[in-house]
Amino acid sequence: MKRYVFALLGAFSLSACAQNPGASDAAPATAGAAASTPTAVEAPAGSPAAKARDAILSINPQVSVESVADAPLPGFQEVIVSGQVLYVSNDGRYVMQGSLFDAREQRDLSQAGLSKLRQRLLSEVPEDQRIIFAPANPKYTVSVFTDVECGYCRRLHEEVAEYNKRGIAIEYLAFPRMGPGSDDFRLMESVWCASDRKQALTAAKSGRRVEPRTCENPVAAHYALGQRAGLTGTPMIIATDGTQMPGYMPPDQLLEALQRLDGAAVGGAR
């Protein structure tokens, strides 16, 4: 049993491209190749949070415990580990993995903690480390983990002007799905090192040559951040409140989703 749980916490598989349009997009990402330094949240000794944290680290001391908080499920702590939500009993004995769904409210409660984590992680990425395509006065802004080889990433980029026309700013972060050391990774580093990043990204996504370049760049940091944020495929679209969209969405569909989120936030604030 311990071996099984260790596997759950120690091996994270990332699908290469959400809603892949072709077999060439099906290569898996190398999930562990750029893992960030393991972290563990602070908690008072003997508290339910400390017991939950220590229970996870006793199974695998190499994982990063991103947050521990009271779970919506009484008697449990919600623990976020490398983009996964786990529920640990307050005494640290029992560990459950999976979504916690509220049948009455018809919503996935496990997404709330992940949204807060994504929001915090993205707030740490400065604007000059992103590649931004935005209208003059955007109504909405989304962060998009992208790969130059992913078919649906390319489709989204082909429509970037249409997103902008609808008042949506697209802020790209790098997630080369083939992992560090790959041609894909080096190509994305060349894009981020280009004198005109926007032009280079467009060229790369169109299959045109991008001049190889090296420099101090955030590609590896973005890759590790995507893992911590629970990335399961590219493009990963995240709203400003940390909500993850279900993969690629056409411009009108994304606008409608952002408007619904906006309406829900306004309604919840009343």
Side-chain angles (χ1 to χ4, degrees), residues 77-231:
Q77 298 292 301
E78 180 182 84
V79 185
I80 298 180
V81 181
S82 302
Q84 293 190 26
V85 179
L86 303 170
Y87 297 99
V88 184
S89 59
N90 286 343
D91 62 3
R93 180 175 180 180
Y94 300 104
V95 179
M96 299 189 300
Q97 181 183 41
S99 297
L100 181 62
F101 194 80
D102 187 326
R104 181 180 299 173
E105 297 293 332
Q106 293 291 298
R107 63 191 183 99
D108 184 352
L109 300 179
S110 60
Q111 289 303 307
L114 275 175
S115 293
K116 290 179 182 178
L117 171 65
R118 295 185 191 110
Q119 190 177 39
R120 175 173 63 81
L121 292 175
L122 289 170
S123 72
E124 298 170 2
V125 182
E127 187 175 301
D128 63 2
Q129 289 187 5
R130 304 167 182 243
I131 299 179
I132 300 173
F133 290 79
N137 298 294
K139 298 176 183 177
Y140 301 102
T141 298
V142 294
S143 298
V144 181
F145 284 91
T146 193
D147 176 48
V148 295
E149 300 292 343
C150 162
Y152 273 94
C153 297
R154 291 184 171 190
R155 179 176 295 187
L156 187 153
H157 193 67
E158 287 170 359
E159 300 173 309
V160 73
E162 294 300 318
Y163 292 102
N164 289 172
K165 285 180 183 177
R166 289 155 178 79
I168 303 171
I170 304 293
E171 299 195 351
Y172 283 120
L173 292 87
F175 194 88
R177 59 191 181 136
M178 298 305 293
S182 65
D183 290 342
D184 185 23
F185 199 96
R186 286 187 287 270
L187 175 55
M188 295 201 77
E189 287 187 313
S190 294
V191 167
W192 253 260
C193 290
S195 56
D196 187 334
R197 291 176 175 176
K198 293 170 68 173
Q199 185 180 64
L201 183 64
T202 298
K205 285 178 177 283
S206 301
R208 301 197 304 272
R209 184 180 180 276
V210 174
E211 182 179 351
R213 290 178 179 269
T214 57
C215 69
E216 185 175 341
N217 67 80
V219 173
H222 288 183
Y223 184 86
L225 189 148
Q227 294 177 311
R228 293 175 65 192
L231 186 149

Side-chain angles (χ1 to χ4, degrees), residues 60-84:
N60 185 353
Q62 298 304 312
V63 298
S64 293
V65 178
E66 301 287 354
S67 69
V68 182
D70 289 339
L73 185 66
F76 281 79
Q77 298 292 301
E78 180 182 84
V79 185
I80 298 180
V81 181
S82 302
Q84 293 190 26

